[in-house]
Amino acid sequence: MVRQGNDTMATSTPGGHRACTQITDVYSLTRFTSVVARFRRLATTGLVAAMTAHLFFVLLFWLLDVWLLLIFNLFSVCLYGICLTLMRFPQLRAVSLILAWLEVIVHAGIATLALGAESGFHYFLLGLVPLVYIDPRGHRLTRLIGLMMLTGLFVGLDLLSTLLDPWFTLTDVTLNGLRWGNTLICFFVLGTLINVYARTSRQSERDLRNLASTDLLTSLRNRRSVTDEALMLAAERKSSGRQLAVILVDLDHFKQLNDRYGHGFGDQVLADTARLMNRTMRPGDSLARWGGEEFLILLTDADLDRAICVAERVRETLSKQTFHHDGHPLSITATLGVTEWRTDEAFEICVSRADEALYRGKQNGRDRVEVAKTDQGRWVRCGAQT
């Protein structure tokens, strides 16, 4: 029943109505946006690691008096600084990554030809392998071509360095030190990239689970999620003997509200009502959007008397909330059906019984708590009787 009201519990603005109608589109982009953002962080981590390694090589080649690689590594440090700057601009991130790829390839080639394969600089090509597969927008064929190119470059540099004399001659001890150092750097870079990728993958998996179990409009649990929880509680109570109860909540005359004030305002009412009901829940109880303007409350450790008290509290709370549409205050009431969930009874049967009570409450005038006929219909603690 929609009626005029004075007590303001929640407000809704016309701008909020329009934003609410777009909420499904926003959530549909959540997965892709999240993955791309994490890939950007992963790429930035790789750029910072590469820049740090090149700073070390600047000092090393200065000490070894290998002027060509000294100059090239100074250039690389500046290039990675430019790449990190470009990563701040979405339209230039692809350019940044291409420049970084080219630098690694050219650096591996020049250093291997300058010092020989014994120096291990062609190992740096291995650090590009994870990046071939990590980009969420990459095509399967593109990834295969990238892997084949890296493999060809790696083998080619190794073979070429055996056919040509190095441009600079270093002692065997120095070359062994470079090879072991480059091996450790490659392991560190690979470990860092894989660690970041593993963490982002786990976070993406958690996000997907949350999206799959959450109603997009109200941010409550959805029907599937609360049903899964109910089945788990049913299995647990065979040993614990805990009491369970179900409450179905349906907003009165909600279709009329949608037709008169628009679906944007109706969506805002649902979202604000969900937040309001959520604040009345006890720890351990579950509130879910069951469908349309209907909500389901799954109570744990609650007999019928306790469930009726909770239902009455929810009904009173909802009857006091006020929304505003174009400056006009509006209130909405709700009808609730209550039932105990009996031992060894299917969850669907319990919900069906609560739904029958809810329907009877609608027939008896709405804005009331109705108890299923086969349940005990009297309680004292809430100061009411059916």
Side-chain angles (χ1 to χ4, degrees), residues 91-332:
Q91 64 274 20
L92 297 176
R93 286 170 188 158
V95 176
S96 173
L97 296 179
I98 292 173
L99 289 175
W101 269 65
L102 292 175
E103 192 285 329
V104 173
I105 294 172
V106 174
H107 181 267
I110 291 178
T112 301
L113 293 175
L115 302 177
E118 294 82 0
S119 62
F121 276 98
H122 59 313
Y123 294 168
F124 288 162
L125 296 175
L126 299 176
L128 298 179
V129 174
L131 297 179
V132 172
Y133 292 94
I134 287 173
D135 189 346
R137 294 160 294 187
H139 190 272
R140 182 180 301 176
L141 180 60
T142 304
R143 293 170 178 172
L144 179 60
I145 293 174
L147 180 61
M148 293 176 63
M149 289 177 59
L150 290 176
T151 303
L153 286 170
F154 184 89
V155 175
L157 284 174
D158 192 275
L159 293 176
L160 187 61
S161 64
T162 61
L163 300 175
L164 301 176
D165 293 331
W167 301 342
F168 296 88
T169 302
L170 299 178
T171 65
D172 291 341
V173 174
T174 302
L175 288 175
N176 283 331
L178 285 173
R179 180 167 59 85
W180 281 108
N182 289 333
T183 301
L184 292 175
I185 290 174
C186 288
F187 269 93
F188 174 77
V189 171
L190 287 171
T192 301
L193 292 175
I194 293 173
N195 178 56
V196 174
Y197 179 65
R199 287 192 288 109
T200 55
S201 296
R202 288 192 294 269
Q203 183 60 50
S204 296
E205 184 179 353
R206 286 193 292 269
D207 290 346
L208 289 175
R209 283 200 300 267
N210 289 336
L211 285 174
S213 62
T214 303
D215 175 67
L216 302 184
L217 176 63
T218 62
S219 297
L220 297 178
R221 307 180 72 161
N222 59 21
R223 186 170 187 153
R224 175 180 178 179
S225 174
V226 75
T227 300
D228 290 343
E229 183 188 9
L231 296 177
M232 181 182 65
L233 290 174
E236 290 178 352
R237 75 169 175 179
K238 291 181 179 179
S239 58
S240 64
R242 66 194 311 181
Q243 293 177 298
L244 303 172
V246 169
I247 303 173
L248 274 180
V249 184
D250 189 273
L251 302 185
D252 297 328
H253 299 297
F254 188 77
K255 184 180 184 301
Q256 296 179 15
L257 182 143
N258 267 337
D259 293 342
R260 182 174 181 180
Y261 301 106
H263 289 276
F265 181 69
D267 288 346
Q268 189 66 48
V269 168
L270 288 174
D272 288 347
T273 298
R275 286 192 290 270
L276 192 65
M277 283 196 293
N278 206 28
R279 290 199 291 266
T280 68
M281 295 297 101
R282 304 176 306 164
D285 294 339
S286 296
L287 172 65
R289 187 181 180 192
W290 194 244
E293 68 272 17
E294 199 169 56
F295 301 87
L296 183 140
I297 303 173
L298 179 60
L299 301 177
T300 58
D301 298 317
D303 58 11
L304 183 63
D305 287 353
R306 177 61 181 168
I308 295 172
C309 288
V310 172
E312 187 63 30
R313 184 172 69 246
V314 170
R315 187 199 64 79
E316 292 178 356
T317 299
L318 295 182
S319 67
K320 295 176 182 177
Q321 70 172 335
T322 300
F323 303 91
H324 288 269
H325 184 273
D326 294 335
H328 301 293
L330 302 168
S331 295
I332 190 167

Side-chain angles (χ1 to χ4, degrees), residues 250-253 335 357-366:
D250 189 273
L251 302 185
D252 297 328
H253 299 297
T335 303
L358 173 66
Y359 181 74
R360 192 167 60 255
K362 295 283 188 180
Q363 292 180 319
N364 291 337
R366 295 181 169 83

